[in-house]
Amino acid sequence: ATAALAAGHAVVATARNPEAVTAALGGHDNLLAVQLDITDPASVRAAIAAWAAASRAIGTRNGEQLT
């Protein structure tokens, strides 16, 4: 994740504790830390929805159409 951020890529990182991700990687405009507990179907759906929303926003920001 650190190398991807340094290269200017957008990163969606998942963890049970997204604050730990932010603490480990630092605050970054291209970082989206999302809570994910793979044993909880609602958590999985929420993480996928967050990724989808971020992907649409990134595509819009870069003038690209993401599929």
Side-chain angles (χ1 to χ4, degrees):
T2 303
L5 289 167
H9 299 288
V11 173
V12 177
T14 60
R16 286 188 177 170
N17 180 356
E19 292 82 15
V21 172
T22 304
L25 297 176
H28 199 288
D29 289 342
N30 286 342
L31 174 63
L32 174 62
V34 179
Q35 182 177 10
L36 173 60
D37 178 352
I38 62 169
T39 65
D40 178 7
S43 176
V44 173
R45 285 190 295 274
I48 291 169
W51 168 83
S55 295
R56 285 190 298 275
I58 291 164
T60 302
R61 182 182 70 198
N62 293 334
E64 302 168 357
Q65 178 64 38
L66 299 178
T67 58

